[in-house]
């Protein structure tokens, strides 16, 4: 057998092993960690965003003794609401979507980092452990006013 064939076979084997590892990682993320694409409950008609709950009432809503939902609508080039006030130590779930084009939702100094896609609802739960101010920024280029698109989160 020529040397080329031997190398070729080992590369093929390596390819198969990598494929199995990647499929395994995908299955693990999907089944064990529960990470998947949004289901039907995560879809929304962006044309009727302003009338569709929960986006008909953007803002901070208390859902439990120490739990809050923060509903945010994103437009070119603003967040509604632009200023969000939250108590320190509360479990906060951000629920956001876009009315028009793809926007970003990134809270400076935290791991909150979402993409807002028209027609899809993005969620992220977080607890602010210290009081302070955080900038909310759009980190997906969305047009001429992209650099002006920001909000503020005040933890008190
Ligand atoms: Cu919105 Cu960039």
């Amino acid at each position: 057998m020529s040397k080329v064939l031997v190398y070729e076979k080992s590369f093929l084997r390596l390819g198969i092993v990598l494929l199995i590892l990647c499929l395994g990682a995908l299955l693990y993320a999907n089944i064990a960690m529960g990470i998947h694409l949004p289901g039907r409950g995560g879809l929304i008609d962006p044309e009727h965003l302003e009338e569709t709950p929960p986006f008909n009432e953007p803002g901070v809503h208390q859902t439990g003794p120490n739990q809050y939902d923060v509903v945010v609508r994103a437009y070119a080039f603003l967040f509604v609401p632009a200023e969000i006030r939250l108590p320190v130590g509360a479990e906060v779930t951000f629920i956001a979507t876009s009315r028009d084009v793809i926007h970003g939702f990134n809270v400076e100094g935290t791991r909150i980092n979402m993409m807002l896609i028209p027609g899809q609802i993005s969620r992220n739960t977080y607890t602010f452990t210290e009081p302070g101010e955080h900038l909310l920024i759009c980190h997906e280029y969305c047009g001429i006013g992209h650099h002006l698109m920001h909000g503020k989160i005040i933890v008190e």
Side-chain angles (χ1 to χ4, degrees):
M1 201 188 285
S2 78
K3 242 195 156 91
V4 176
L5 253 178
V6 173
Y7 282 140
E8 210 171 344
K9 273 195 174 164
S10 48
F11 271 112
L12 276 173
R13 256 186 233 118
L14 183 68
I16 291 167
V17 168
L18 282 177
L19 197 68
I20 290 169
L21 281 177
C22 290
L23 268 173
L26 211 62
L27 282 173
Y28 179 76
N30 192 281
I31 296 163
M33 297 171 74
I35 298 172
H36 36 72
L37 288 171
R40 279 208 165 271
L43 298 180
I44 187 162
D45 176 6
E47 293 287 316
H48 299 103
L49 184 63
E50 286 84 354
E51 302 98 72
T52 312
F55 294 100
N56 54 344
E57 285 179 38
V60 180
H61 307 286
Q62 188 158 10
T63 54
N66 200 25
Q67 283 180 323
Y68 295 82
D69 278 354
V70 179
V71 177
V72 180
R73 305 197 294 229
Y75 300 87
F77 304 99
L78 72 155
F79 291 106
V80 176
E83 192 181 293
I84 298 162
R85 280 177 187 273
L86 292 167
V88 69
E91 188 186 293
V92 179
T93 300
F94 291 93
I95 304 167
T97 190
S98 164
R99 174 70 174 78
D100 37 46
V101 296
I102 292 178
H103 295 285
F105 189 103
N106 181 226
V107 183
E108 168 242 333
T110 73
R111 57 161 179 76
I112 305 167
N113 184 332
M114 304 194 283
M115 196 191 249
L116 308 183
I117 302 169
Q120 279 188 19
I121 301 170
S122 301
R123 285 168 201 271
N124 203 325
T125 301
Y126 189 79
T127 298
F128 292 91
T129 51
E130 278 170 34
E133 279 191 22
H134 298 263
L135 208 57
L136 163 62
I137 46 175
C138 174
H139 63 318
E140 292 283 342
Y141 182 74
C142 53
I144 193 147
H146 164 70
H147 62 289
L148 301 171
M149 185 165 172
H150 64 273
K152 198 198 284 181
I153 294 177
I154 301 160
V155 184
E156 50 202 0

